[in-house]
Amino acid sequence: VASSITVHDVAKAAGVSASTVSRALSGNAAVAATTRNRVVEVARQLGYQPNLAARGLITGTTHNIGLVVPDLENPYFASITKSVQSRALASGYSVFIADSDEDTRTELELVHQLSKQVDGLILCSPRMSTSDIAGIAGQTMMVLINREWEGLASVVIDDAEIVRLALEHLHALGHRKVAYVGGPETSWSNQKRWAAIERFAPTFDDLEVSKVGSYAPNFDGGQSAADVVLASGATAAFAYNDLVGLGLLARLNTRGVRVPEDLSVMGIDDVNVATLVSPGLTTVRSPLKKVGRFAVNKLIDLMSPTDRPSSTEDLPVQLVVRQSTSVPPQRR
Amino acid sequence: VASSITVHDVAKAAGVSASTVSRALSGNAAVAATTRNRVVEVARQLGYQPNLAARGLITGTTHNIGLVVPDLENPYFASITKSVQSRALASGYSVFIADSDEDTRTELELVHQLSKQVDGLILCSPRMSTSDIAGIAGQTMMVLINREWEGLASVVIDDAEIVRLALEHLHALGHRKVAYVGGPETSWSNQKRWAAIERFAPTFDDLEVSKVGSYAPNFDGGQSAADVVLASGATAAFAYNDLVGLGLLARLNTRGVRVPEDLSVMGIDDVNVATLVSPGLTTVRSPLKKVGRFAVNKLIDLMSPTDRPSSTEDLPVQLVVRQSTSVPPQRR
DNA sequence: TTGTATGCGTTATCAT
DNA sequence: ATGATAACGCATACAA
């Protein structure tokens, strides 16, 4: 771990007491400028590294945070993870990262493991039950991403607005029968999105949106769903996320169904890979980097409250039209 | 962090001494079965959570490891990260994760930050200088991925075999002029791959491989390189990795160059997204999940040496032929 | 088998 | 402004 040179070694070498060394290096207490310089210099020469375990033992703080995500290989979570770590680094925090592999039990286990060695936790799109979340919240500072519960701090993307933008786009193109390819039942976002669909669909003239089931939120899930979507008679598929959308594109391509001529396809998130395919995937962009930053900001504010109101910027979503959507066949 | 109930609380409640509690819960010392059961039960009831800082202070161990990668949003590193975390969890280790964003300075800073609070470090494709690596190795247990230096433990994918398989494939198709689209100069793998090209190219009849420069190891890098590749007159492009390959495909598509009819394209790694595009990207698969597992195994063996020889399985690479490569134009 | 005593390295409290 | 001392929670050496 660290080198074995302690405050006492520095103290002896600098001709002062251990407490003075501690104060000089902490910087927050009153120390004569000359002694401080001397101590700092000696510490540097000796290569002194404070023992964080000892410090944590007495301060009760670790300067570590934990992040739990369902799947690191999902570019959506990779982006959030990257921004979380980046923002944490800027504030001197190290971050534990844990991948639950979309499994509720693993997720809970990881949370328990981490909660013992962090000052706070960020749970990204947690799949666990609300009662489990409540249990953890009682023990550890916590910020939720893409989930809300009671008074807990959280950062959520506006699922309703995402849905509204998507339906508006498809309806404007002339689509009247749309198939929603659902994500995991345990996904809070999935529930919110379907709820928003049921709320908004009636507001568009003659629009009918059906749900074609619940699929894994990745490429494979999309492939599995494609045939059902086709059979549904819809002219447009609205996928739970971009990966599902890409899976749809792949399977449709295999079956010889042309996109967008025969069927339009939309995703959600505008994950990096959405631009890689052709036709490019029409989608609604989520500000993932911002989500990660905000979550860390909120957590830090929770852990060491300041007076300045934590900036209440919002998280704008935005329609990104590419080639995978167009006018439905009947209208051609 | 943890709850504030200590061994003493448990001891009092169970009617034993603190040391007995410690022993009973550690499990390795001699404790009467009946007392052990009682202590365990009481600890459970009270919700006792050992304070890891205190334990670490005395044992000098944290049961944490750190992983440093150049870019979490790169699916290559995402896969390795996922397998590292998964394997670590299985052994009771938590993992700090750090993203250097391909920046040498950040990388070094992160390493220093982490090295103070882990038992060991995994440096994945480190971009830093060998002298920096040596410096760290002197202080912390460490395993390198995709880099070798002196006697340091490392897990490397066989770059030479990758190159050989790729050149063999392209040559067999009839290609005689191949352009290698290089990755970052700081990438050890990139150096190894180019060295292997220089070594193997002459072994194939009439094969000429040119290097078209050094590009960012991602989608954008590939897009930047496409025009230069075209101008080079090569009939096949061999990209530093899949992302670069996908970038090439995208830009070539924009320019109206047909793949593989006009130009063949190969990648390296067989990252998940390589299958998403059409034409599918021909590539050489790297066993990323295995790489992560092996690295953790080696690190754990380093931290707590056992007698059983750490299994010396190898890391087979494998050609994956998809539609992005075929016979060159002249041969049609 | 169990209890007592000590120390890990640091910060905080209380003197001076 | 600085030094002595205690305390954080745990594991261990030693005594019983």
Side-chain angles (χ1 to χ4, degrees):
Chain A
V1 183
S3 56
S4 53
I5 135 151
T6 78
V7 274
H8 293 96
D9 300 320
V10 177
K12 201 174 301 175
V16 294
S17 78
S19 14
T20 300
V21 173
S22 174
R23 283 186 287 247
L25 297 179
S26 303
N28 31 355
V31 179
T34 86
T35 39
R36 152 162 297 137
N37 292 336
R38 182 154 37 99
V39 169
V40 168
E41 173 58 16
V42 170
R44 200 190 55 74
Q45 282 182 356
L46 267 52
Y48 167 73
Q49 300 282 92
N51 181 318
L52 270 49
R55 174 179 295 171
L57 183 54
I58 185 154
T59 64
T61 180
T62 64
H63 253 69
N64 294 152
I65 68 176
L67 172 68
V68 182
V69 297
D71 180 14
L72 272 174
E73 280 180 309
N74 183 325
Y76 179 89
F77 298 117
S79 286
I80 292 182
T81 302
K82 179 152 182 157
S83 68
V84 163
Q85 125 86 56
S86 164
R87 177 67 188 81
L89 174 65
S91 295
Y93 281 84
S94 298
V95 8
F96 281 110
I97 206 298
D99 179 319
S100 70
D101 207 27
E102 296 278 356
D103 182 68
T104 304
R105 258 186 64 81
T106 308
E107 192 176 58
L108 205 56
E109 180 185 356
L110 286 166
V111 165
H112 281 131
Q113 187 178 44
L114 290 191
S115 65
K116 294 189 285 193
Q117 39 196 338
V118 299
D119 295 342
L121 230 39
I122 297 176
L123 265 48
C124 185
S125 304
R127 312 303 199 204
M128 65 181 68
S129 69
T130 52
S131 64
D132 282 334
I133 288 185
I136 299 153
Q139 304 198 329
T140 313
M141 304 269 93
M142 188 168 86
V143 171
L144 300 175
I145 293 179
N146 287 337
R147 188 141 173 187
E148 289 177 312
W149 201 75
E150 304 268 307
L152 293 185
S154 66
V155 176
V156 294
I157 299 176
D158 189 345
D159 285 303
E161 177 66 3
I162 287 174
V163 166
R164 201 190 61 73
L165 285 172
L167 294 186
E168 186 180 61
H169 172 66
L170 293 174
H171 186 264
L173 284 173
H175 292 276
R176 294 298 176 264
K177 284 192 54 131
V178 172
Y180 174 67
V181 181
E185 302 284 7
T186 49
S187 161
W188 193 76
S189 294
N190 185 53
Q191 296 167 26
K192 293 270 287 188
R193 284 167 194 181
W194 178 243
I197 288 171
E198 291 191 307
R199 180 164 123 238
F200 285 124
T203 69
F204 293 98
D205 206 43
D206 197 27
L207 180 61
E208 181 189 329
V209 183
S210 63
K211 186 173 176 181
V212 301
S214 173
Y215 294 88
N218 51 37
F219 187 77
D220 290 340
Q223 285 197 303
S224 312
D227 300 307
V228 182
V229 169
L230 272 178
S232 77
T235 61
F238 179 27
Y240 168 70
N241 68 17
D242 286 345
L243 296 181
V244 172
L246 293 176
L248 288 171
L249 291 182
R251 175 62 184 158
L252 292 172
N253 185 53
T254 311
R255 285 204 38 185
V257 177
R258 295 167 306 162
V259 174
E261 291 82 359
D262 301 331
L263 184 70
S264 288
V265 176
M266 273 198 75
I268 296 182
D269 294 337
D270 194 25
V271 157
N272 286 331
V273 290
T275 60
L276 306 195
V277 298
S278 69
L281 186 66
T282 295
T283 187
V284 181
R285 179 177 302 158
S286 306
L288 303 182
K289 291 300 178 65
K290 231 175 175 180
V291 167
R293 280 209 310 276
F294 279 21
V296 176
N297 287 345
K298 283 206 174 183
L299 186 57
I300 289 183
D301 193 60
L302 227 57
M303 298 184 301
S304 48
T306 60
D307 292 331
R308 54 190 158 79
S310 59
S311 59
T312 355
E313 300 179 63
D314 65 342
L315 298 166
V317 296
Q318 177 189 353
L319 180 70
V320 180
V321 180
R322 298 208 181 88
Q323 299 83 39
S324 71
T325 50
S326 72
V327 174
Q330 306 92 311
R331 296 254 181 150
R332 286 172 179 270
Chain B
V1 184
S3 55
S4 52
I5 136 152
T6 78
V7 274
H8 293 96
D9 301 322
V10 177
K12 201 173 301 175
V16 295
S17 79
S19 34
T20 300
V21 173
S22 174
R23 283 186 285 248
L25 297 178
S26 304
N28 32 355
V31 179
T34 87
T35 38
R36 152 162 298 137
N37 292 337
R38 182 155 37 97
V39 168
V40 168
E41 173 58 15
V42 170
R44 201 190 54 73
Q45 282 182 355
L46 268 51
Y48 167 73
Q49 301 280 93
N51 181 318
L52 271 53
R55 175 178 294 171
L57 183 55
I58 185 160
T59 64
T61 181
T62 64
H63 253 69
N64 295 150
I65 68 176
L67 171 67
V68 182
V69 297
D71 179 15
L72 272 173
E73 281 180 309
N74 183 325
Y76 179 88
F77 298 118
S79 286
I80 292 182
T81 301
K82 178 154 181 155
S83 69
V84 163
Q85 127 84 47
S86 163
R87 177 65 188 81
L89 174 66
S91 295
Y93 281 84
S94 298
V95 8
F96 281 110
I97 213 278
D99 178 319
S100 70
D101 206 26
E102 295 278 358
D103 182 69
T104 304
R105 257 185 66 80
T106 308
E107 192 176 59
L108 204 56
E109 180 185 358
L110 286 166
V111 166
H112 281 131
Q113 186 179 45
L114 289 191
S115 65
K116 295 189 285 194
Q117 39 195 339
V118 299
D119 295 343
L121 230 38
I122 297 176
L123 265 46
C124 185
S125 305
R127 311 303 198 203
M128 65 180 69
S129 68
T130 52
S131 64
D132 283 333
I133 288 184
I136 300 153
Q139 305 199 328
T140 314
M141 304 269 94
M142 187 168 89
V143 170
L144 299 175
I145 293 179
N146 287 336
R147 186 136 174 192
E148 290 177 313
W149 201 74
E150 305 270 306
L152 294 185
S154 65
V155 177
V156 293
I157 299 175
D158 189 345
D159 286 303
E161 178 65 3
I162 288 174
V163 166
R164 200 190 63 73
L165 285 172
L167 294 185
E168 185 179 63
H169 171 66
L170 293 174
H171 187 264
L173 284 173
H175 293 275
R176 293 300 176 261
K177 284 193 53 131
V178 172
Y180 174 67
V181 181
E185 301 285 6
T186 48
S187 160
W188 193 77
S189 293
N190 185 54
Q191 296 167 25
K192 293 270 288 189
R193 284 167 193 180
W194 178 243
I197 288 171
E198 290 190 307
R199 179 163 123 239
F200 285 123
T203 69
F204 294 98
D205 208 40
D206 196 26
L207 180 61
E208 179 189 331
V209 183
S210 63
K211 185 173 176 182
V212 302
S214 172
Y215 296 88
N218 51 38
F219 187 76
D220 290 340
Q223 285 197 304
S224 312
D227 301 307
V228 183
V229 169
L230 274 178
S232 78
T235 61
F238 179 27
Y240 168 71
N241 68 17
D242 286 345
L243 296 182
V244 172
L246 293 176
L248 288 171
L249 291 182
R251 174 63 184 159
L252 292 171
N253 186 53
T254 310
R255 286 207 35 188
V257 177
R258 295 167 306 163
V259 174
E261 291 82 357
D262 302 330
L263 184 70
S264 287
V265 175
M266 273 198 76
I268 296 180
D269 294 336
D270 194 25
V271 156
N272 286 332
V273 290
T275 60
L276 305 195
V277 297
S278 70
L281 186 66
T282 295
T283 187
V284 181
R285 179 177 302 159
S286 306
L288 302 183
K289 291 299 178 66
K290 233 175 174 178
V291 167
R293 281 209 310 277
F294 280 21
V296 175
N297 287 346
K298 284 207 173 182
L299 186 57
I300 289 182
D301 194 59
L302 227 55
M303 298 183 301
S304 47
T306 60
D307 291 332
R308 55 188 158 81
S310 60
S311 60
T312 355
E313 299 179 65
D314 63 342
L315 298 165
V317 295
Q318 179 188 352
L319 180 70
V320 180
V321 180
R322 298 208 179 89
Q323 299 84 38
S324 70
T325 49
S326 74
V327 173
Q330 306 89 312
R331 298 254 181 151
R332 286 175 179 267

